[in-house]
């Protein structure tokens, strides 16, 4: 049936978060998940996969003319990634804050990139940059049947209900 959360405005916003190949190799999957769980967001989709060039070409469509694009695709196909969909109030914006600046030197300590990365080309994690992008990226990486509607038992401790 329809989840309880569907009736609460704004709390069904979703974003795509991915642990990139360097994050997987460095055994940071659990650390990334832990931060989103602890913050209060709800996991509604997750899988480990080796991304092919087709999905990455769509995912990084806007960057296709950048000089670093070939290296980016090489990096992103170098090993498995963990793709996740997280749900909750303002999840797109809050996730970007948790992930930190694209440039590792600008990423604040306490952010994922600010804690675990020193170079822009190996920055551990992806998070969608707008609600529109998130919708596009979720549809690209997940089939709707792979996303799970469920209610957290403790919404009253996360939201003003
Ligand atoms: P974002 O991941 O913070 O949204 P974007 O500008 O969308 O940043 O870039 C996507 C990814 O491309 C970055 O996370 C990083 O992995 C890679 N990238 C961006 N700029 C550079 C660069 O100047 N050199 C190498 N890789 C880059």
């Amino acid at each position: 049936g329809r989840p309880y959360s569907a009736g609460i405005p704004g709390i069904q916003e979703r974003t795509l978060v991915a642990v990139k190949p360097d994050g997987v190799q460095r055994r940071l999957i659990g650390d990334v998940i832990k931060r989103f769980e602890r913050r209060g967001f709800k996991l509604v989709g997750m899988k480990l996969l080796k991304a092919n060039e087709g999905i990455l070409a769509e995912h990084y469509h806007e960057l296709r003319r950048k000089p670093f694009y070939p290296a980016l695709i090489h990096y992103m196909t170098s090993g498995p990634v963990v793709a996740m969909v997280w749900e909750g109030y303002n999840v797109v914006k809050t996730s970007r804050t948790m992930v930190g600046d694209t440039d590792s030197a600008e990423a604040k300590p306490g952010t994922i990139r600010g804690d675990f990365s020193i170079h822009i080309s190996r920055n551990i994690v992806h998070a969608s940059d707008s609600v529109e992008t998130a919708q596009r990226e979720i549809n690209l990486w997940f089939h709707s049947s792979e996303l799970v509607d469920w209610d957290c038992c403790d919404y009253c401790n996360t939201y003003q209900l």
Side-chain angles (χ1 to χ4, degrees):
R2 183 171 179 266
Y4 173 69
S5 55
I8 308 163
I11 81 168
Q12 283 197 311
E13 184 174 303
R14 289 178 171 183
T15 197
L16 183 90
V17 174
V19 183
K20 295 177 175 185
D22 55 329
V24 174
Q25 289 289 353
R26 291 177 53 194
R27 305 176 209 279
L28 294 172
I29 300 166
D31 207 293
V32 172
I33 292 172
K34 190 183 192 87
R35 287 166 181 242
F36 283 86
E37 278 199 304
R38 214 164 44 180
R39 191 72 190 254
F41 291 118
K42 180 173 78 174
L43 184 63
V44 295
M46 178 164 73
K47 59 185 167 186
L48 177 78
L49 74 158
K50 275 193 167 172
N52 61 39
E53 287 194 24
I55 194 169
L56 292 168
E58 279 199 52
H59 182 80
Y60 285 129
H61 177 77
E62 285 179 9
L63 300 176
R64 66 195 179 284
R65 291 192 191 86
K66 299 282 187 189
F68 59 82
Y69 180 80
L72 174 61
I73 300 301
H74 184 259
Y75 152 57
M76 288 296 293
T77 54
S78 68
V81 302
V82 175
M84 297 177 275
V85 178
W86 287 90
E87 182 181 289
Y89 186 74
N90 259 343
V91 68
V92 172
K93 190 172 178 212
T94 305
S95 297
R96 293 288 290 187
T97 304
M98 291 166 70
V99 163
D101 200 283
T102 307
D103 178 354
S104 302
E106 295 292 333
K108 301 265 188 302
T111 65
I112 295 169
R113 289 170 174 169
D115 287 349
F116 300 123
S117 107
I118 52 176
H119 194 274
I120 193 167
S121 67
R122 298 290 184 273
N123 61 9
I124 309 292
V125 71
H126 168 83
S128 309
D129 65 6
S130 71
V131 172
E132 295 69 37
T133 308
Q135 197 51 252
R136 187 175 69 78
E137 292 179 350
I138 290 166
N139 291 336
L140 177 63
W141 288 83
F142 285 88
H143 192 267
S144 59
S145 65
E146 295 174 306
L147 301 177
V148 182
D149 273 330
W150 61 288
D151 279 321
C152 291
C153 63
D154 63 347
Y155 283 136
C156 61
N157 296 307
T158 309
Y159 302 110
Q160 183 180 49
L161 299 180

